[in-house]
Amino acid sequence: MNTPHIINIPKISDPRGNLSFIEEENHIPFKIKRIYWIYDVPGGEKRGGHAFRETEEFIVALSGSFDVVLHDGRQEYRFHLNRSYYGVYVPKMMWRMLENFSTNSLALILASTVFKESDYIREFDEFMKLFG
Ligand code: TYD
């Protein structure tokens, strides 16, 4: 599916503490080439503000909460993430912003590519022009 959507990941409930896991091409529709995380975000800050030409991502709030705001050139999507057993799949060519971080939130991001600055579109005008 090429629209952004929530994907539930397995949750093994256990009185000793819960466990979740993600398998590439099983729970998420791509091979994982890179993992990064965003943490220690000061109150009121936003991350993102760009699109990727090729990179697909899966974003999970491992701790705390934040909003993932996406735009596909036509409409906006907003996802509030606050549990570590689901995340949002972000297809390529989505304008994406992460905001409203709670204190001590931890955003885990699985990406389908290694880091390449040339994959970024950092101007919203340039992004919108690509849709004619
Ligand atoms: P950026 O993707 O712009 O951050 P965000 O979207 O979360 O606001 O990345 C910030 C800086 O970190 C930028 O200089 C590129 C660098 N960076 C890497 O070197 N490797 C990576 O995997 C990522 C995601 C960023």
Side-chain angles (χ1 to χ4, degrees), residues 71-113:
H71 200 289
D72 66 0
R74 292 189 316 259
Q75 71 176 99
E76 187 179 280
Y77 304 80
R78 182 177 284 268
F79 299 93
H80 182 65
L81 300 184
N82 62 356
R83 292 285 183 270
S84 53
Y85 51 81
Y86 67 83
V88 61
Y89 168 68
V90 183
K92 62 185 173 184
M93 285 300 286
M94 284 277 154
W95 192 261
R96 110 190 189 341
M97 188 77 89
L98 272 53
E99 60 187 39
N100 292 331
F101 287 89
S102 69
T103 308
N104 287 330
S105 54
L106 171 58
L108 175 75
I109 301 162
L110 310 180
S112 67
T113 62

Side-chain angles (χ1 to χ4, degrees), residues 19-31:
L19 181 153
S20 287
F21 61 97
I22 300 168
E23 295 171 353
E24 61 181 8
E25 295 183 306
N26 184 4
H27 305 110
I28 57 169
F30 57 83
K31 275 188 175 294

Side-chain angles (χ1 to χ4, degrees), residues 34-36 38 46-50 52 57 96 98 109 114-115 117 120 122:
R34 177 166 45 118
I35 301 171
Y36 63 98
I38 295 172
K46 296 180 180 206
R47 299 292 313 223
H50 50 69
F52 296 118
E57 292 189 328
R96 110 190 189 341
L98 272 53
I109 301 162
V114 296
F115 174 75
E117 184 59 41
Y120 282 72
R122 291 195 180 273

